[in-house]
Amino acid sequence: MYAAKHRGHSSQHQRQHVDEAVMGGVANGHGHRPAAARPAPRRAAKLKILLVVIATNLVSVYLFSGASLSVHLPASAPRIHLWDSAALLRDLNATRAALAGARAELAALRAQCNASSHLLESVLAGLGAVHGDTPEARDFGGWPEEPTGELKLAIEPHRLPLGFHANFGTDELFPGLGFACRNFQEELAQYMAYDAGAECPDDDALALQLALKGCEPLPRRRCRARSPAGYVEPAPLPRSLWSVPPDTTVRWALYTCKNYTCLVQRARTRGGAYFCKDCFDLEGKERRRWQADNGGPGFSIDSVLRSRAPGTVRIGLDIGGGTGTFAARMRERNVTVVTTTLNLDAPFNRFVASRGLVPLQITLMQRLPFADGVLDIVHSMNALSNWVPDAVLEAALFDIYRVLRPGGVFWLDHFFCLGPQLNATYVPIFDRVGFRRLRWKAGRKLDLGAERNEWYVSALLEKPMT
């Protein structure tokens, strides 16, 4: 009893002292509690810090224990597991499969719509026939008659066996066929008239004429290309670079000359309108090309390579490279060059291949078969000149710009034109493409007479780094 009263009296006495201290502090102008009252907030802050540390440790133990933390979404939404990669992969695969299924259903619906459309056309045609209507001419996609056989195989789409494919963005594959092929349907039908599985007919000249007319690319064929009789292995490198291959490497029935001796002698005879007349004479003028950087309109290979950092010119393209001598010279300098050439009454492609180089048979109208920014150098000698329509030339130059890497160079070699054309037509085209001039040389072209006022231009043009 006494103890209780004593404790109550003591508590009352303590409260009285505290109230007096507070009042005294206020009376003295202090807006805070005295030092004796501060430990309570410190203990609360320490308690809070302790709780935060404990909670953090618990969460860390939970997460690193391998448990799966899921975000709760509506039942209709896919579950995304933030910490379980296997579950996330399963969800992504399920979503991909569902998307592929939806695309397959869309392709099936498209096929059903096409079938329904054909059925409706048949019904309408039947009703028209009953009423005596004159049937309209059938449309076969621009062809005068419905394609059959190998021609049909070459021009119509082919349905993918597994349906829609995301990489193609369609459920069908369309054969590659030049737009201009529709203008030469009789020739294309003749080209595709062969026995499937047998030897291909001797129609290389027909194929070349179709390509030169713009029917490029030609469709693929299901026949075996013929090989030369008595074929022998080519000479080994590096001897093959400067040796004429054996005659048995060519099927000569396609050409005016029937052996390489005839082609070599063309360079030493007067007259005759032959493409690249002296290209096959590897011991004559062809052997001396690009060896010297003299006062003429051309450059030497070594001077061009010196304009670049050592070893940075590694791969390139020679447009209209004839028998591949430019590529051979670059091969000697550890540069790989692909040569575009055409079999214009001579086996240019096979000759290039026999030298151990890479031939590519495409015309000037075709887009270069390279990705953007992959080549270190592009060279062209005589292939690009004033015989090319201006719009075609400009498109070709932009395509060359496209395939060159930043800092790559275009070597325009012996471009020829009439004097008034140079500044009025061609210099503005070069400027529009955006090349930076490294070297530029112009000189008179006198082989057909000074009165013609023809000029050669050789230029080394760089694709800017930015």
Side-chain angles (χ1 to χ4, degrees), residues 20-185:
E20 289 176 355
V22 172
M23 292 301 292
V26 172
N28 291 332
H30 300 288
H32 57 80
R33 300 176 67 180
R38 290 180 184 175
R42 289 183 178 178
R43 287 195 296 272
K46 290 181 179 179
L47 181 60
K48 290 179 181 179
I49 293 174
L50 179 62
L51 291 175
V52 170
V53 172
I54 293 173
T56 302
N57 290 336
L58 289 175
V59 173
S60 300
V61 171
Y62 177 77
L63 293 179
F64 288 101
S65 64
S68 175
L69 180 63
S70 301
V71 178
H72 296 286
L73 298 173
S76 59
R79 295 178 63 84
I80 301 177
H81 302 274
L82 297 180
W83 305 104
D84 191 342
S85 60
L88 178 60
L89 182 60
R90 287 194 299 271
D91 289 341
L92 291 176
N93 289 335
T95 303
R96 186 183 294 111
L99 184 59
R103 287 170 171 167
E105 291 179 4
L106 181 61
L109 289 174
R110 188 187 300 116
Q112 292 177 4
C113 290
N114 291 336
S116 301
S117 178
H118 290 314
L119 179 61
L120 180 59
E121 289 177 359
S122 300
V123 171
L124 292 176
L127 291 175
V130 170
H131 290 85
D133 296 339
T134 302
E136 296 182 358
R138 295 190 63 185
D139 180 16
F140 301 110
W143 297 86
E145 298 179 0
E146 185 174 7
T148 59
E150 294 300 300
L151 181 60
K152 179 177 179 141
L153 184 70
I155 66 177
E156 291 194 346
H158 302 273
R159 191 169 298 279
L160 292 172
L162 302 180
F164 183 90
H165 197 288
N167 290 347
F168 301 121
T170 180
D171 60 343
E172 295 176 319
L173 287 182
F174 290 81
L177 189 67
F179 175 79
C181 291
R182 294 181 180 275
N183 298 329
F184 310 104
Q185 296 178 12

Side-chain angles (χ1 to χ4, degrees), residues 401-415:
Y401 187 97
R402 176 185 65 83
V403 301
L404 282 172
R405 64 167 175 81
V409 292
F410 172 42
W411 182 353
L412 182 64
D413 196 354
H414 283 76
F415 177 94

Side-chain angles (χ1 to χ4, degrees), residues 2 18 46 96 120 148 150 166 171-172 206 223 226 259 272 304 311 326 341 391 430 463:
Y2 172 78
V18 170
K46 290 181 179 179
R96 186 183 294 111
L120 180 59
T148 59
E150 294 300 300
D171 60 343
E172 295 176 319
L206 174 62
C223 58
R226 299 186 181 186
N259 51 57
V304 170
F326 179 82
T341 189
F430 298 142
K463 180 176 179 177

Side-chain angles (χ1 to χ4, degrees), residues 286 290 318 321-329 339 348 351-352 355 357:
E286 195 75 359
W290 304 291
D318 186 20
T323 55
T325 296
F326 179 82
R329 287 298 183 196
T339 301
F348 286 93
F351 191 86
V352 172
R355 299 178 75 175
L357 306 168

